[in-house]
Every structure is written in C-alpha cells, then in structure tokens.
Amino acid sequence: MPDMSASVSLALTNLVPLAKEVDENKVTPGVLGFIVFAAMALAVWWLMKSMSRHMNKVEFTEVPDPRAESSADEPTDAEASTGSCSKSSDKTSPAKG
C-alpha cells in the first residue's frame, strides 16, 4: 500500500488492536445499523402522521339513497314471493298454492 497517507496508516495502526479485542463470535449491527433503523423509524412515524392527517379530512357521513326510501313502502320481490310483509299488517297476503 504505497499510496497510503500518514493519517490513514496511523488510524489503522491504532484501530487494529481495538478490533482484536472484539469477540469474533458476537455480531452487532453497530452505528450504521442504528442509523438505518432510526431513519426507518422516522419514516414510519412521518407516514403515520401524514395518513392520520389525510384520514381526518375524509367525511364519513352517508347520503341516504332516495331509491331506498321509496322502496321501503313497497315489499321487495323476495318478500312478495314468500308472503311475508313486515311493514304493514293490513295488506292482504298473496294466495298460497
């Protein structure tokens, strides 16, 4: 390594003994792993905050269907065929059999 500067060689000579003290059977994510995890946590927090803001803008009021109101007075096809009409009891039931 002839192109190595003096500061790099000094850093390597000081860090190599420190690396030998680390247990080779123990693997840790280190500082880079923490930075990546923290960045992902901040991204998830920002996305949840944005989603909450967008969900608060949505109105959940349901507009009543005008066809449902007009058909509520009349029995449906299934009710007419079975003879069960629960809305009014004074209507005549269809003839059976």
Side-chain angles (χ1 to χ4, degrees), residues 6 9 12 15 24 31 39 42 53 55 57 61 77 82-83 88:
S9 63
L12 283 178
L15 290 178
E24 293 178 2
V31 175
L42 286 173
R53 249 186 279 134
M55 291 299 285
K57 290 180 184 177
T61 56
D77 293 338
T82 59
S88 82

Side-chain angles (χ1 to χ4, degrees), residues 3 5 7 10 12-13 16-17 20 29 38 51-52 57-58 69 71-74 78 80 84-86 94:
D3 295 336
S5 68
S7 62
L10 180 64
L12 283 178
T13 56
V16 169
K20 290 295 180 185
M51 184 188 68
S52 176
K57 290 180 184 177
V58 176
E69 291 175 3
S71 66
D73 297 335
E74 302 170 2
S84 64
C85 184
S86 61

Side-chain angles (χ1 to χ4, degrees), residues 22-83:
V22 175
D23 185 14
E24 293 178 2
N25 295 326
K26 183 179 178 184
V27 179
T28 61
V31 175
L32 179 63
F34 174 75
I35 292 171
V36 169
F37 182 78
M40 288 174 51
L42 286 173
V44 168
W45 174 78
W46 181 79
L47 284 172
M48 292 295 288
K49 188 174 180 180
S50 174
M51 184 188 68
S52 176
R53 249 186 279 134
H54 282 86
M55 291 299 285
N56 286 335
K57 290 180 184 177
V58 176
E59 290 187 24
F60 290 108
T61 56
E62 186 174 336
V63 178
D65 190 13
R67 290 178 290 165
E69 291 175 3
S70 65
S71 66
D73 297 335
E74 302 170 2
T76 61
D77 293 338
E79 289 174 344
S81 65
T82 59

